[in-house]
Every structure is written in C-alpha cells, then in structure tokens.
Amino acid sequence: MRSMRIGLLTGGGDAPGLNAVIRAVTKSLIRQGGAEVLGVEDGYLGLIERRLRALGWQEVSGIAALGGTLLGTSNRVSPLSYQGRDWRDEIVAYARELRLDGLVAIGGDGTMAIADALDRHGLRTVGVPKTIDNDIAHVERSLGFDTAVATVTEALDRVQTTGQSHGRVMLVETMGRNAGWLALEAGLAASADIILLPEIDYQLEAIAAVCRERAARQRFTVICVAEGAKPRGGQPTVQALEASRPEPVRLGGVAEVLVTQLQPLLQSEVRATVLGHVQRGGAPTAGDRVLGSLIGDAAARLVNDAAWGQMVSFEHGRLGQVPLMAVAGRTRTVPADHPLLQTARRIGVSFGDS
Ligand code: F6P
C-alpha cells in the first residue's frame, strides 16, 4: 500500500506558533505513518494557483521558535468566491491529480468554514485552530493567544510608566473584532484601570468619571480597549471597507475616537497607542510552542485515524475533536458571568458600563 500524501496550509491572519504546528504535523505524519507532506503556499490561494512544495523532515526542523508562517498565508481569499466564482471543483480535481489523500488546514473560524466546505465537496480535511483573538468555538486556549497576551501586557506596562510620569490618560488599542479575550487577559495582567470589550457596551461618562477620580488620587489612568468595543447604542469603529475580502469590514480607530471624545471632559491629557500587527508578529512564547506541538501532533493523529471533517478541540484542559461544522461561522465571546470578568470587577477594574 502506498503511503499517504497530505497537503498542509495556514489560512487567515498569522499567529505566533504556526511554525510549531507545521513542524509537529509534518514530523508526526512522517514518523507515525511514513506520509508525504506537501505545503500549500499562501493559504487557500495556493490551492487555486497550484503552488505546493514538498515539506520534509529537514524543511521543518528548527522552525518552532520562529514567528509568522513558513508557508505564507492569506485572509483575502476564499475559494468559494474568489474572482467572482466558486473554485471548489478545480481544487478537488487538482487534489486528485496530485493524489492528495487529504488536507490539514490551520486557521481561525473563517479557515474552518472553508475547510468544512472543501471536505463536503470531496477534499477530505482536518482542521487545526489558531487565532490571537481566542474566539474559536470549542477551543479555550487558541494558538497565538498566549504570545499576544504577553505582548499586549508588556505594552501596557510600558505605557503605564510614561502615563504615570506625565499624569496622562493612556489608551491602548488591541486587536479583537468580536471577542475581548485579549484585552481582558492582558488588561488584567497589566493592572489596567479600565478595560473596554466588544461584549460590554461602554458609556463615555462612566469612563470619564473613573479617569477624574484617578486623576485626583493617582494622576494617571490606563485604558485597554479592544478594537471591537463600542458605545451603548452605537457601532464599532470601522477603519476601512474592503469589498474583495471574505471579511470586508476592517475595524480600528476606537482609541483615537475616545481621545477626541474624552479630552473635552477631562483635565488630564489623553493619548492613544494602537498596537496593530505587533500583536501577531514575532517569536511565540514557550506556551504557544508547546501548544503548537500538541495540536499539530493531534491533527496528524486525526489524519491517521481518517477522522476527516474534524477539528482539533481544546476544552476543559484536554485535546479532543469536534466536527468542522460545529466551529464554522461561530465566535466564542466573553460571557457576562465569566470568572475573569467577575474577578476584575471585584478588584476595581471598570468596564466602562456603570
Ligand atoms: O482575526 C484576528 C485579527 O487579529 C483580528 O482581531 C483583526 O481584526 C484582524 O485579525 C486584522 O487582520 P488584518 O491583518 O487583515 O488587518
């Protein structure tokens, strides 16, 4: 019997730890089943443009500590609607031509939705979750989140000392479109005074009241705001609309909006820092390297068990598997009664809502 031939791609925005997954999937498939692994370049675009390359033991050695993704990625391309049409027939035919037995797709909810569609169309697929937003259903700790929390925490710590020196209100804007896990954990880690999340609508006056009270007592205030945060009765701040993308709305700019609105209400100077892609780049933490190794090996085992149409899950501290369709198009947001929120409120953090 010939050994399996498996495609491997990274889709969506990059996240620290992707290379650790690429390494673990490849090495585990080679070691456990003698499989041949083909890396797909630039996410699903590589399947459309027929850009694959062999990934052997050597190619993936020594990469776990590197940021980004060895294979490249894209969050602008869906084979379901690229250049105005559906590419699934071509992709499945190409996979047959290549004698691919299946595909491992590493990505967020968008990548999983496409993986599910391809799996149903005839290209058997296994999913591996990653995102710094930590918002994938059935995954309590997603790849890249640990590193992003560390990066944002360091930024908040640094901003705090300069805010303290000048007696300023310092806003730091993080990523997090629909879910505020990153702002919440980093804000808590760095002792932010106010944390604004997409899940909890803020009121300007409530924020201003905390800043005034702190100005009298401690001179400075640090506010950690997720890009998807919005005022009560309002909408998130949109930076750009890009019709050609699967996710056409690019969020960003809420921190600057808050500077403009808060400044007239306060005596302290109000300043904003937008962290942007700094949060996604750079070397993964030890935690993300370990998690990447675990979920990469788990994906290889799903392939060897022919558990197609499944994604590696991580719930209650254990790795498992869930159908791709249980993840596709869903977002894991911060519940109103989450213990982290409750702890933060009990120790005096404001969420700008009262
Ligand atoms: O999905 C992860 C994420 O980091 C979001 O929080 C953010 O809105 C988006 O990626 C930004 O993507 P891009 O790099 O394409 O602007």
Side-chain angles (χ1 to χ4, degrees):
M1 204 177 80
R2 78 169 176 91
S3 55
M4 280 203 290
R5 182 177 279 179
I6 301 295
L8 174 61
L9 66 78
T10 49
D14 65 331
L18 283 173
N19 286 322
V21 182
I22 292 170
R23 171 178 178 269
V25 172
T26 305
K27 288 198 166 182
S28 186
L29 280 173
I30 293 173
R31 196 68 172 249
Q32 309 311 317
E36 211 183 313
V37 181
L38 297 181
V40 183
E41 294 175 358
D42 299 337
Y44 290 112
L45 187 61
L47 284 180
I48 294 171
E49 294 182 347
R50 301 184 162 223
R51 288 191 280 117
L52 278 77
R53 63 175 193 260
L55 284 185
W57 196 270
Q58 275 315 110
E59 282 75 22
V60 301
S61 289
I63 64 169
L66 304 177
T69 159
L70 184 78
L71 293 171
T73 187
S74 165
N75 56 5
R76 291 169 184 274
V77 176
S78 165
L80 278 57
S81 60
Y82 180 63
Q83 292 179 339
R85 68 183 185 86
D86 188 333
W87 290 74
R88 276 178 288 181
D89 285 343
E90 276 103 325
I91 287 176
V92 170
Y94 180 47
R96 290 215 177 100
E97 232 176 86
L98 286 174
R99 296 194 298 141
L100 271 194
D101 296 286
L103 177 74
V104 174
I106 312 167
D109 57 343
T111 302
M112 294 308 134
I114 296 167
D116 185 44
L118 287 177
D119 186 70
R120 288 162 193 281
H121 213 79
L123 174 53
R124 298 181 302 174
T125 303
V126 154
V128 186
K130 70 84 213 163
T131 168
I132 67 160
D133 293 354
N134 203 31
D135 62 354
I136 302 175
H138 301 286
V139 180
E140 62 197 16
R141 220 65 198 168
S142 62
L143 186 81
F145 180 63
D146 187 63
T147 308
V149 169
T151 303
V152 175
T153 300
E154 190 194 342
L156 286 164
D157 286 346
R158 289 179 184 278
V159 158
Q160 177 182 320
T161 60
T162 160
Q164 210 160 14
S165 308
H166 289 262
R168 286 173 172 162
V169 172
M170 304 296 276
L171 283 141
V172 173
E173 181 176 314
T174 73
M175 284 189 172
R177 303 175 56 80
N178 306 306
W181 297 106
L182 180 56
L184 175 61
E185 286 214 10
L188 199 52
S191 309
D193 309 297
I194 303 174
I195 302 174
L196 304 177
L197 309 177
E199 293 89 344
I200 304 175
D201 292 353
Y202 61 78
Q203 288 176 285
L204 200 62
E205 191 40 56
I207 300 171
V210 175
C211 296
R212 274 189 225 109
E213 194 257 325
R214 283 192 54 86
R217 191 163 42 91
Q218 256 161 313
R219 275 172 44 91
F220 74 97
T221 302
V222 174
I223 306 177
C224 180
V225 53
E227 63 182 0
K230 59 185 189 309
R232 192 169 289 177
Q235 293 299 320
T237 309
V238 174
Q239 193 181 80
L241 286 172
E242 295 163 294
S244 61
R245 288 174 56 147
E247 176 47 78
V249 178
R250 188 184 338 142
L251 296 184
V254 62
E256 282 299 347
V257 168
L258 281 166
V259 169
T260 312
Q261 295 174 339
L262 279 172
Q263 191 61 82
L265 307 177
L266 302 174
Q267 277 175 352
S268 313
E269 194 180 346
V270 186
R271 301 291 283 266
T273 303
V274 180
L275 298 181
H277 293 94
V278 162
Q279 297 161 96
R280 293 217 305 245
T285 57
D288 273 330
R289 297 178 205 184
V290 172
L291 182 61
S293 305
L294 288 171
I295 59 179
D297 171 52
R301 281 183 288 133
L302 289 181
V303 168
N304 287 330
D305 293 345
W308 303 111
Q310 302 285 307
M311 185 194 81
V312 177
S313 62
F314 185 33
E315 292 177 286
H316 313 296
R318 297 178 78 91
L319 293 179
Q321 64 188 72
V322 288
L324 284 167
M325 67 176 175
V327 177
R330 289 181 57 193
T331 303
R332 196 180 70 93
T333 54
V334 180
D337 61 350
H338 193 274
L340 278 182
L341 273 184
Q342 292 175 343
T343 294
R345 286 194 195 274
R346 278 197 294 268
I347 62 175
V349 176
S350 167
F351 289 88
D353 54 340
S354 59

